[in-house]
Each structure stands twice: as C-alpha cells, then as structure tokens.
Amino acid sequence: MADQIQKYIAEIQALMETKLWVKGRDLKAQTRKAGRRLPRKVRRDLRYLIDTAPLANNPKLGRMINHSKVDKAYANVTAHLRGLNPREAMWTMVLNITASIALGLIVIFVIVLYVLVQRGYV
C-alpha cells in the first residue's frame, strides 16, 4: 500500500502543477502554496494523504491506515483537480485585473470631475 500512496501523491503533485501552476518540493509545500484556491474539503483530504504517507512506510504503523479513506481522499482530490480548467482560470484572472483597473480609472475620473465642478471650471 505504501507504493500505492506514493503513486497517488505523485499523480496529485503532477495535477497541481498542471492545473493550478503550483510547484513545490513535496505535496505539503504545494498544498501550502495553493492555499485558498483549494476548497476546504480538498485541503482536508490532502492533509490526510500527507499524514498517512510516512505511516505507510512503517510495517507496524501501516496497519493503522484506513485504505478506503485513502482511496476516497484520492478520488475527491483528483476529481476536483481534473475539473479545473487552467485556461478559464487565466482568462478570469485577466478579466478581474482589467475590471479593477477600469473601476479605479472611473473613480479617479469622477473625483477629478467633482473637483472641477466645485472650483467652477466646468
């Protein structure tokens, strides 16, 4: 089962690099960098996989692992990551930045117009 958990972790790391653009030396670092981009339930499942990986290498402690819970956590995490669309995320980010810049320019224009009206230039 230790090999299976390591395969799960390697696949999740690859998915996080391709779908979220999060790199790190291990899954724990990637999870920390991803932060709130991952839902709470997915972060909880990732934490469980991270915590069980060292236990799987020890023969006595390996018996404490709930294999069905590991499989379920893996399925939840991969389902979420495979459902992400990196192109859509990039487009959304570009639109959000553009909208915030436009809002800032509108606010500045309104303030300048207000000052000009108050001073009697317009």
Side-chain angles (χ1 to χ4, degrees):
M1 187 62 185
D3 295 333
Q4 188 67 31
I5 292 176
Q6 295 304 324
K7 287 179 186 176
Y8 286 169
I9 289 176
E11 185 176 347
I12 290 171
Q13 283 180 311
L15 281 171
M16 287 183 78
E17 284 184 18
T18 58
K19 299 289 186 167
L20 291 176
W21 303 301
V22 175
K23 294 184 180 180
R25 57 182 164 79
D26 59 354
L27 187 59
K28 188 174 185 178
Q30 285 181 316
T31 304
R32 187 175 56 248
K33 286 181 182 180
R36 291 193 176 191
R37 286 190 279 174
L38 296 171
R40 184 179 300 155
K41 290 181 181 181
V42 173
R43 286 192 313 252
R44 183 188 63 220
D45 290 338
L46 281 170
R47 205 171 319 120
Y48 181 74
L49 289 172
I50 291 167
D51 292 341
T52 57
L55 296 177
N57 295 328
N58 189 323
K60 288 188 177 181
L61 296 177
R63 287 183 251 160
M64 293 174 32
I65 297 173
N66 185 352
H67 299 295
S68 63
K69 190 172 179 181
V70 168
D71 292 337
K72 191 179 289 187
Y74 167 75
N76 290 340
V77 171
T78 54
H80 175 75
L81 290 175
R82 286 188 177 129
L84 296 177
N85 186 356
R87 178 174 279 167
E88 182 180 332
M90 180 64 81
W91 185 245
T92 303
M93 184 176 67
V94 168
L95 286 177
N96 286 339
I97 291 171
T98 305
S100 63
I101 290 171
L103 180 66
L105 289 174
I106 289 171
V107 168
I108 290 172
F109 176 74
V110 168
I111 291 172
V112 168
L113 190 64
Y114 176 75
V115 169
L116 289 175
V117 167
Q118 288 298 318
R119 292 192 177 186
Y121 294 113
V122 176

